[in-house]
């Protein structure tokens, strides 16, 4: 679990995108390609930023309202 | 048939064609073209006034017919007869349909006039009868009121003179008057006759038809007793000037009842005749109602055809119509096939000829949309029609618009609600498509695919924000571990044991510093996504420049702009990602604030207080110098290039008289030529002066540099709105449904039901509908301003081929 997870996910998404580029349906090909690949990349970016933001956190969750029974 | 170009990334290639159509099949040819919607005709007769054109008489005849149809429609509405509506089935493209024979249209015209004449007669007759009826009814009322009048009058005279009848010197006037004017009449008469009269009036029970007001009004019957003929004449005049109807009534009770009988029998006759007339009228109207829509749409088409034919040039020597218009290049064959089929089926010897013209006119922009992309394309076309063959912003909008929306609307629950609604609209689109829709519903219906994608992406972003109706899910093992034991109300802090693989860690939910963390995360997220979105859009300007072989735009605009933007905001984005990927706590270093880093990069270049990475100062100075160099490059390269490639014409036209004369002549020539060419403003390369280039470039430079700052800041709305949305849904949850959770028993049940209803209704109305609308508007702005300003020129004209539109009944409404 580190920065390389993001790199790996990036490679997977790029691979899927490239594969889809060639497998896109013939009818409305431009729309299919653009829509699917752009969706994949935006979803990847958003996931990656969320993941990276928690990779090396500088603040830790803090609370005072947990009951002691909750302890594992 | 060659495969059609998809025409979504760029608009379809168009060609200007000239059509030579023999006059006798002109009408049929245009009909079949109107069925297909292939050609956008240009007006070849701009110099000829609209009433001097070839087919004006035909258009006039049809105009008159349409007026008659509108008249019929008005009558139908007056008589509350529903028009028989038939939904026209769409003509599939490529099918061949013959035009209706022109004799059919002639029949329509003849029929229209006949029916109109008959209708006018019937309506007039019924109006006349209506008048007679009201006249007689008023007479009857006056007669009935007469009994009362004379009884009273007799009562007076009885007490005085013991005489049954009124003295013969007393004469009277009777009639009806609108109730509002009865008082006025009495006052005027009182003054005119100096009080020498007896005035009496009674209110009539039912409102009566008034000729002047053309509606029914409440009326009074009145009687005026006075002396002398002269005075009586005067009374009559006054009464008539106040819109009174006067009736002669006998003062004898026996004569009156005879009169009454007579009136009643006449009235009965009038009733019968009126009834028959109205029945006839309505029968005819019912017959019309069945056909009117079909007639109207046929005539509307015929008129559209002739109006199009009026755009054609008519060669009377060769009996040929010459039309000019824009056709998508890949549909030329189908156009030719269409005309050829028509010629063979009509059995005409002379074929129609299609000739492609070379032109420097700018063709219209035509994107082939389908039901999915149409709404997205509309979003972009609202802002401006893309120039011919420019990159179409509608294509990336399909994804970026709903995604930007979803970043602001991230909540799985709300996304699901939206997806369900949109899913219904999409699932029943065929049924709903045929329905009559009001304005708001039509908006939702036409945007159903936008709604669907917005809902789906909202589910995804909600998943990443770990929000479902403001609650969090614990799908994965949390990356935080709470201490093993603690006292009640003791502040505890979790320890990091891993990274949550997908989305925000559920451990953050409900913590004291959750907002601190999510703010930092969402702010950086919006800056990063904004930067990515803008860079992506900016790349389209490179694609455009490469396509149009506009090298100077790449060198003078694209590259300096790119370096400027990447040097500052690209660097910031890289820093954000870099800072995230370094484990500052393990390394035992202080994590520098990025905001200060960026500010110091400009204010104190060369000094770095807390280092993010080695050699940071040098890198930053280099980037700053690069960005600064880019500004004069952006400002100067294009004007200098213009100066070099367009030498000295600015000076010569001033210094030498000859050339200036020449240019004037040339100018005149150009005007004449443009006149010959009938229309279109675009002459050959209308001279852009050096000054124009400089001013344009100065504006572009200032705009670009300021905008790269303000647009990046503008993407922070993603953070603000998603934060507001999350907070609002939390507040709604705690203030409604959460209250019910602690309660038990009957109260608990009732409270749960009530509060759940409240929560759900408010969720739908405020969070999904209102917040959704606002997020949509913000997303729209991000596309129109922040994204499209990076590459969009938008100087195109939309392609509007001649095509028969389905005719609505409502179109007959306007006068």
């Amino acid at each position: 679990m580190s920065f390389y997870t993001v790199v790996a996910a990036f490679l997977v998404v790029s691979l899927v995108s490239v594969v889809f580029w060639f497998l896109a349906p013939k009818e409305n090909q431009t729309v299919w390609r653009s829509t699917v690949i752009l969706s994949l990349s935006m979803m990847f970016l958003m996931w990656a930023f969320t993941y990276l933001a928690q990779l090396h956190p500088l603040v830790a969750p803090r609370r005072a309202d947990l009951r002691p029974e909750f302890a594992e | 048939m060659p495969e059609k170009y998809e025409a979504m990334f760029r608009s379809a290639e168009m060609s200007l064609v000239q059509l030579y159509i023999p006059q006798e099949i002109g009408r049929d040819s245009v009909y079949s073209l109107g069925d297909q919607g292939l050609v956008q005709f240009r007006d070849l007769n701009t110099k000829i006034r609209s009433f001097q054109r070839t087919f004006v008489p035909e258009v006039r005849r049809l105009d008159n017919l349409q007026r008659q149809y509108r008249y019929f429609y008005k009558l139908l509405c007056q008589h509350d007869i529903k028009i028989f509506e038939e939904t026209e089935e769409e003509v599939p493209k490529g099918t061949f349909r013959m035009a209706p024979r022109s004799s059919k249209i002639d029949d329509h015209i003849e029929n229209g006039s006949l029916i109109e004449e008959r209708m006018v007669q019937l309506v007039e007759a019924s109006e006349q009868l209506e008048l007679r009826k009201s006249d007689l009814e008023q007479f009857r009322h006056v007669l009935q009121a007469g009994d009362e009048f004379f009884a009273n009058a007799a009562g007076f005279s009885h007490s005085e003179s013991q005489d049954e009848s009124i003295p013969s010197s007393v004469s009277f006037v009777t009639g009806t008057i609108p109730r509002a004017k009865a008082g006025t009449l009495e006052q005027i008469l009182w003054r005119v006759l100096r009080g020498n009269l007896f005035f009496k009036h009674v209110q009539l029970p039912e409102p009566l038809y008034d000729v002047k007001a053309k509606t029914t009004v409440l009326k009074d019957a009145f009687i005026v007793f006075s002396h002398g003929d002269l005075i009586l004449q005067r009374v009559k005049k006054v009464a008539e000037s106040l819109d009174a109807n006067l009736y002669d009534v006998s003062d004898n009770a026996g004569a009156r009842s005879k009169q009454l009988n007579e009136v009643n029998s006449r009235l009965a006759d009038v009733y019968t005749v009126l009834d028959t007339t109205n029945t006839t009228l309505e029968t005819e109207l019912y017959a019309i109602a069945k056909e009117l829509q079909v007639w109207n749409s046929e005539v509307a088409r015929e008129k559209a055809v002739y109006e199009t034919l009026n755009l054609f040039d008519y060669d009377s020597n060769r009996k040929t119509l010459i039309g000019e218009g824009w056709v998508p290049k890949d549909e030329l064959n189908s156009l030719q096939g269409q005309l050829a089929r028509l010629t063979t089926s009509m059995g005409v010897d002379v074929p129609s000829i299609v000739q492609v013209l070379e032109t420097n006119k700018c063709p219209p922009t035509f994107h082939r949309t389908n039901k999915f992309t149409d709404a997205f394309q509309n979003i972009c076309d609202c802002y401006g029609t893309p120039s011919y063959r420019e990159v179409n912003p509608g294509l990336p909008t399909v994804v970026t618009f709903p995604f930007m929306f979803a970043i602001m609307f991230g909540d799985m629950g709300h996304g699901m609600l939206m997806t369900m609604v949109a899913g219904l609209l999409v699932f029943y689109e065929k049924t709903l498509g045929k329905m009559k829709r009001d304005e708001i519903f039509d908006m939702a219906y036409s945007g159903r695919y936008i709604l669907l994608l917005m809902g789906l992406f909202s589910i995804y972003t909600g998943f990443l924000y770990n929000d479902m109706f403001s609650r969090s899910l614990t799908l994965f093992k949390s990356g935080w571990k709470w201490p093993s034991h603690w006292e009640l109300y003791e502040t505890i802090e979790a320890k990091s044991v891993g990274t949550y693989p997908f989305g925000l860690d559920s451990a953050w939910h409900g913590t004291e510093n959750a907002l601190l963390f999510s703010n930092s995360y969402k702010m950086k997220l919006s800056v990063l996504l904004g930067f990515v979105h803008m860079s992506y859009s900016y790349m389209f300007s490179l694609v455009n420049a490469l396509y149009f072989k506009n090298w100077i735009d790449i060198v003078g605009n694209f590259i300096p702009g790119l370096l400027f933007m990447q040097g500052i905001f690209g660097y910031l984005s890289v820093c954000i990602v870099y800072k995230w990927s370094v484990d500052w706590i393990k390394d035992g270093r202080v994590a520098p604030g990025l905001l200060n880093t960026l500010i110091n990069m400009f204010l104190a270049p060369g000094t770095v207080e807390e280092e993010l990475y080695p050699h940071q100062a040098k890198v930053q100075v280099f980037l700053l110098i690069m960005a600064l160099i880019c500004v004069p490059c952006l400002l100067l390269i294009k004007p200098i290039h213009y100066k070099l490639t367009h030498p000295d014409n600015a000076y010569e036209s001033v210094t030498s008289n000859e050339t200036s004369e020449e240019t004037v002549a040339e100018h005149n020539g150009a005007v004449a030529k443009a006149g010959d060419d009938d229309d279109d403003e675009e002459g050959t390369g209308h001279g852009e002066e050096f000054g124009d280039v400089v001013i344009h470039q100065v504006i572009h430079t200032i705009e670009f540099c300021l905008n790269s700052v303000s647009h990046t800041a503008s993407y922070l709305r993603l953070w603000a709105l998603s934060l507001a949305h999350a907070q609002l849904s939390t507040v709604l949850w705690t203030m409604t449904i959460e209250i019910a959770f602690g309660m038990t028993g009957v109260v608990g049940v009732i409270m749960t039901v009530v509060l759940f209803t409240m929560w759900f209704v408010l969720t739908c109305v405020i969070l999904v509908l209102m917040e959704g609308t606002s997020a949509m508007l913000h997303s729209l702005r991000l596309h129109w301003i922040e994204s499209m300003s990076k590459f969009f020129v938008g100087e195109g004209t939309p392609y509007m081929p001649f095509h028969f539109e389905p005719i609505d009944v409502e179109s007959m409404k306007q006068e």
Side-chain angles (χ1 to χ4, degrees):
Chain A
M1 289 295 199
S2 65
F3 190 76
Y4 296 104
T5 321
V6 179
V7 176
F10 173 74
L11 290 178
V12 170
V13 169
S14 331
L15 190 71
V16 172
S17 300
V18 170
V19 168
F20 186 81
W21 180 270
F22 293 105
L23 291 185
K26 283 283 164 294
E27 201 185 345
N28 294 317
Q29 199 172 36
T30 319
V31 179
W32 273 110
R33 281 177 178 167
S34 150
T35 307
V36 171
I37 294 175
L38 203 53
S39 306
L40 277 177
S41 26
M42 301 249 341
M43 285 160 85
F44 162 74
L45 278 176
M46 182 120 172
W47 167 79
F49 294 150
T50 313
Y51 182 81
L52 282 172
Q54 300 177 90
L55 192 56
H56 301 297
L58 294 169
V59 285
R62 191 179 65 229
R63 64 195 303 167
D65 54 352
L66 276 190
R67 276 170 296 177
E69 303 95 89
F70 191 70
E72 286 164 27
Chain B
M1 210 166 120
E3 206 179 313
K4 276 190 203 168
Y5 179 64
E6 204 182 330
M8 214 31 222
F9 185 58
R10 292 181 197 290
S11 62
E13 278 187 80
M14 309 294 278
S15 18
L16 186 66
V17 294
Q18 223 168 18
L19 302 166
Y20 294 86
I21 302 172
Q23 189 215 354
E24 59 264 37
I25 61 163
R27 177 174 162 276
D28 305 84
S29 311
V30 174
Y31 243 104
S32 70
L33 292 179
D35 265 344
Q36 301 295 310
L38 279 180
V39 193
Q40 176 182 347
F41 289 104
R42 294 179 61 239
D43 192 352
L44 299 180
N45 298 323
T46 37
K47 276 189 296 183
I48 303 174
R49 281 191 208 137
S50 54
F51 54 83
Q52 285 171 331
R53 299 191 178 197
T54 323
F55 296 99
V56 166
E58 281 84 352
V59 173
R60 285 228 178 114
R61 279 200 315 165
L62 295 167
D63 263 340
N64 186 39
L65 190 54
Q66 281 193 317
R67 179 194 56 75
Q68 288 164 346
Y69 288 164
R70 282 199 298 273
Y71 173 63
F72 300 156
Y73 185 68
K74 210 175 86 188
L75 284 183
L76 287 175
C77 289
Q78 275 172 7
H79 288 257
D80 275 335
I81 297 172
K82 275 256 157 56
I83 202 160
F84 181 74
E85 278 181 70
E86 210 173 358
T87 43
E88 282 178 80
E89 66 271 29
E90 280 273 306
V91 188
K93 265 206 164 183
T95 52
F96 183 69
R97 207 166 54 155
M98 282 303 280
R101 258 177 272 124
S102 49
S103 61
K104 200 172 171 191
I105 302 295
D106 289 339
D107 284 349
H108 281 335
I109 290 174
E110 212 169 299
N111 268 336
S113 306
L114 276 177
I115 296 173
E116 192 200 15
E117 213 173 292
R118 178 127 178 81
M119 286 293 139
V120 168
Q121 270 178 7
L122 281 171
V123 168
E124 255 173 26
S126 101
E127 265 172 17
Q128 289 283 334
L129 288 168
E130 201 65 48
L131 265 184
R132 283 270 297 286
K133 189 183 98 179
S134 90
D135 196 44
L136 286 170
E137 274 175 349
Q138 291 184 46
F139 194 12
R140 190 174 65 182
H141 281 300
V142 172
L143 283 170
Q144 281 161 355
D147 291 340
E148 206 182 319
F149 293 149
F150 290 110
N152 277 351
F156 274 113
S157 51
H158 192 75
S159 60
E160 281 165 18
S161 63
Q162 311 277 335
D163 200 350
E164 259 294 306
S165 65
I166 305 160
S168 56
S169 62
V170 175
S171 43
F172 57 89
V173 175
T174 45
T176 57
I177 189 162
R179 188 162 297 166
K181 289 178 179 168
T184 325
L185 179 69
E186 187 172 4
Q187 274 181 5
I188 291 178
L189 286 179
W190 188 262
R191 292 206 181 145
V192 168
L193 306 181
R194 303 211 169 83
N196 207 355
L197 83 160
F198 176 70
F199 184 89
K200 177 96 182 117
H201 63 113
V202 287
Q203 298 187 345
L204 298 183
E206 64 209 40
L208 291 157
Y209 183 77
D210 189 72
V211 194
K212 274 221 172 136
K214 298 243 171 184
T215 46
T216 53
V217 288
L218 286 169
K219 289 198 169 188
D220 276 9
F222 68 90
I223 188 162
V224 182
F225 291 99
S226 198
H227 293 282
D229 275 347
L230 207 65
I231 286 174
L232 223 56
Q233 289 299 328
R234 217 180 271 172
V235 170
K236 277 184 184 165
K237 261 188 201 157
V238 170
E240 269 164 1
S241 72
L242 284 168
D243 300 333
N245 300 50
L246 301 178
Y247 300 97
D248 278 335
V249 177
S250 168
D251 55 351
N252 190 319
R256 272 208 307 275
S257 72
K258 214 171 133 195
Q259 266 179 325
L260 192 62
N261 279 339
E262 201 181 315
V263 167
N264 275 341
S265 72
R266 270 163 64 192
L267 206 52
D269 287 349
V270 170
Y271 279 142
T272 334
V273 180
L274 189 64
D275 205 34
T276 334
T277 317
N278 277 342
T279 323
T280 325
L281 183 65
E282 277 186 16
T283 327
E284 301 235 344
L285 282 177
Y286 273 116
I288 293 175
K290 267 188 199 153
E291 306 265 6
L292 190 59
Q293 202 214 356
V294 179
W295 291 350
N296 189 47
S297 67
E298 275 184 359
V299 169
R301 281 173 179 212
E302 184 82 4
K303 197 177 140 196
V305 165
Y306 278 115
E307 274 170 353
T308 309
L309 279 173
N310 265 338
L311 304 178
F312 281 41
D313 203 9
Y314 179 54
D315 188 340
S316 50
N317 294 329
R318 287 182 290 170
K319 300 268 178 211
T320 316
L321 288 161
I322 304 162
E324 221 175 85
W326 296 104
V327 184
K329 211 169 229 172
D330 41 16
E331 303 228 45
L332 271 175
N333 279 335
S334 77
L335 174 70
Q336 264 157 349
Q338 183 81 8
L339 288 175
R341 255 197 294 182
L342 185 87
T343 325
T344 49
S345 61
M346 295 287 289
V348 189
D349 315 330
V350 201
S352 312
I353 300 164
V354 179
Q355 194 185 14
V356 180
L357 297 180
E358 285 294 318
T359 179
N360 58 358
K361 291 195 179 69
C362 190
T365 310
F366 174 44
H367 295 118
R368 286 205 178 89
T369 53
N370 52 25
K371 62 179 180 181
F372 176 66
T373 48
D374 193 41
F376 295 101
Q377 187 65 49
N378 277 341
I379 290 180
C380 294
D381 286 350
C382 272
Y383 187 69
T385 311
S387 302
Y388 179 63
R389 301 291 288 161
E390 162 179 53
V391 170
N392 175 21
L395 186 64
T397 302
V398 172
V399 177
T400 50
F401 179 79
F403 203 91
M404 288 290 163
F405 167 87
I407 293 170
M408 293 180 268
F409 195 74
D411 190 303
M412 269 186 273
H414 303 154
M416 279 173 192
L417 289 177
M418 187 171 266
T419 312
M420 281 193 273
V421 172
L424 277 181
L425 288 175
V426 170
F427 192 75
Y428 292 109
E429 64 181 0
K430 287 224 172 91
T431 335
L432 291 171
K434 285 178 194 150
M435 250 172 61
K436 269 229 157 76
R437 302 177 293 268
D438 64 4
E439 208 175 334
I440 302 272
F441 184 57
D442 188 58
M443 213 148 42
Y445 175 76
S446 51
R448 60 197 182 278
Y449 286 101
I450 303 183
L451 284 178
L452 185 68
L453 283 190
M454 289 195 314
L456 289 175
F457 281 133
S458 296
I459 296 176
Y460 180 77
T461 49
F463 192 53
L464 284 178
Y465 291 156
N466 212 339
D467 266 341
M468 183 169 193
F469 296 119
S470 81
R471 305 284 91 188
S472 71
L473 308 179
T474 46
L475 292 174
F476 305 98
K477 198 180 171 312
S478 172
W480 295 99
K481 195 169 166 43
W482 297 105
S484 47
H485 58 83
W486 63 87
E487 297 298 310
L488 195 60
Y489 303 127
E490 183 194 341
T491 302
I492 48 171
E493 202 161 87
K495 255 183 64 193
S496 175
V497 290
T499 312
Y500 204 64
F502 210 99
L504 280 188
D505 200 317
S506 51
W508 284 105
H509 187 84
T511 53
E512 284 168 8
N513 52 358
L515 215 52
L516 190 76
F517 174 73
S518 73
N519 269 347
S520 144
Y521 154 66
K522 283 182 176 173
M523 184 167 72
K524 286 170 179 167
L525 178 79
S526 39
V527 169
L528 285 172
L529 281 174
F531 170 72
V532 170
H533 190 207
M534 284 192 293
S535 305
Y536 178 69
S537 305
Y538 195 58
M539 286 304 155
F540 283 137
S541 73
L542 175 68
V543 175
N544 271 335
L546 285 175
Y547 181 80
F548 293 115
K549 306 227 162 34
N550 208 344
W551 302 112
I552 186 62
D553 259 355
I554 300 181
V555 178
N557 271 347
F558 177 74
I559 293 176
L562 187 75
L563 290 179
F564 183 84
M565 203 164 86
Q566 304 297 324
I568 298 171
F569 297 100
Y571 176 65
L572 174 67
S573 307
V574 170
C575 283
I576 292 175
V577 175
Y578 178 77
K579 190 184 160 187
W580 274 342
S581 45
V582 170
D583 196 341
W584 298 96
I585 294 172
K586 200 181 82 188
D587 296 358
R589 284 162 59 199
V590 185
L594 289 176
L595 202 59
N596 285 333
T597 308
L598 193 71
I599 291 170
N600 280 335
M601 179 173 160
F602 295 106
L603 293 186
T607 55
V608 174
E609 283 166 13
E610 293 157 337
E611 210 169 49
L612 193 65
Y613 56 91
H615 308 299
Q616 190 189 357
K618 284 175 205 158
V619 173
Q620 284 186 358
V621 170
F622 170 73
L623 287 174
L624 191 64
I625 290 172
M626 186 181 76
L628 287 180
I629 290 173
C630 282
V631 178
C633 287
L634 206 55
L635 194 64
L636 295 176
I637 290 182
K638 263 189 102 173
I640 289 172
H641 171 263
Y642 182 86
K643 198 80 194 166
L644 293 177
T645 47
H646 298 69
D648 54 343
N649 59 0
Y651 295 108
E652 267 193 28
S653 63
V654 179
T655 47
S656 117
N657 253 339
E658 227 172 282
T659 32
S660 70
E661 261 167 37
E662 219 167 72
T663 44
V664 168
E666 224 170 68
H667 187 67
N668 286 343
V671 168
K673 207 180 148 207
D676 277 347
D677 227 346
D678 281 326
D679 62 333
D680 278 49
E681 48 296 323
E682 58 260 321
T684 43
H686 107 93
E688 207 181 19
E689 297 282 319
F690 177 66
D692 296 343
V693 177
V694 171
I695 289 173
H696 184 256
Q697 200 56 29
V698 168
I699 293 173
H700 177 80
T701 307
I702 295 173
E703 218 174 38
F704 187 85
C705 296
L706 291 183
N707 280 355
S708 62
V709 179
S710 70
H711 286 180
T712 311
S714 180
Y715 275 95
L716 289 176
R717 74 186 67 228
L718 295 176
W719 160 45
L721 265 96
S722 75
L723 185 75
H725 188 79
Q727 290 300 306
L728 207 59
S729 56
T730 313
V731 167
L732 184 67
W733 179 277
T734 46
M735 287 182 72
T736 55
I737 197 164
E738 204 180 68
I739 301 170
F741 286 160
M743 300 178 180
T744 49
V746 184
V747 184
V749 172
I750 294 170
M751 284 301 269
T752 309
V753 170
V754 170
L755 287 172
F756 172 78
T757 321
M758 212 164 121
W759 171 79
F760 187 71
V761 169
L762 287 177
T763 295
C764 289
V765 174
I766 296 182
L767 291 180
V768 178
L769 214 68
M770 259 173 59
E771 280 271 281
T773 316
S774 108
M776 211 164 77
L777 291 176
H778 279 283
S779 177
L780 199 62
R781 184 222 140 93
L782 285 180
H783 281 79
W784 281 354
I785 314 288
E786 272 73 27
S787 158
M788 275 158 82
S789 68
K790 297 286 179 294
F791 67 99
F792 187 64
V793 180
E795 283 168 352
T797 47
Y799 170 64
M800 283 179 291
F802 168 59
H803 189 241
F804 294 133
E805 298 298 326
I807 308 294
D808 209 2
V809 185
E810 306 291 310
S811 65
M812 280 187 276
K813 243 180 207 163
Q814 350 103 8
E815 280 296 305

